[in-house]
Amino acid sequence: MSNILMDGASPGFVRTALGRDATGAFALMLRLTRPFQADPEKGARTSIHLASSPDVADVTGGYFENGRPARPGALAQDRAAAERLWTLSARLVGLERP
């Protein structure tokens, strides 16, 4: 039996430096949505919870938002999209099988 557990977590809409060099409409959108963006500490809470809480120590294969189990969106459940992403990712990191 493996000791590896895997869960997915959404940090939500978090204020980061990702768009710091943005210009035009994207920069405007980032500024206008700033009041709705969580600070990085709040965005990290679910990941920290999953990594450290005994409440989820035996949970695997779940998806969490705001520290609670949630249902991922339709695209995240699209098997064909997942296969395409896996294949492309493997190719980009040199793990593509002949």
Side-chain angles (χ1 to χ4, degrees), residues 71-86:
R71 183 171 175 85
L75 185 56
Q77 298 178 66
D78 182 330
R79 300 292 281 177
E83 288 293 329
R84 290 190 307 272
L85 177 60
W86 182 267

Side-chain angles (χ1 to χ4, degrees), residues 5-89:
L5 303 177
M6 193 289 303
D7 292 300
S10 171
F13 190 25
V14 179
R15 183 175 50 252
T16 67
L18 186 62
R20 71 178 168 266
D21 296 325
T23 60
F26 185 63
L28 178 62
M29 186 272 308
L30 288 175
R31 280 194 301 273
L32 291 174
T33 60
R34 188 168 177 88
F36 306 103
Q37 299 170 20
D39 63 61
E41 181 180 296
K42 183 177 180 188
R45 286 182 189 157
T46 297
S47 296
I48 292 169
H49 172 72
L50 291 173
S52 63
S53 175
D55 295 340
V56 292
D58 295 324
V59 175
T60 189
Y63 176 73
F64 292 78
E65 290 179 1
N66 297 316
R68 294 185 299 274
R71 183 171 175 85
L75 185 56
Q77 298 178 66
D78 182 330
R79 300 292 281 177
E83 288 293 329
R84 290 190 307 272
L85 177 60
W86 182 267
T87 300
L88 177 59
S89 298

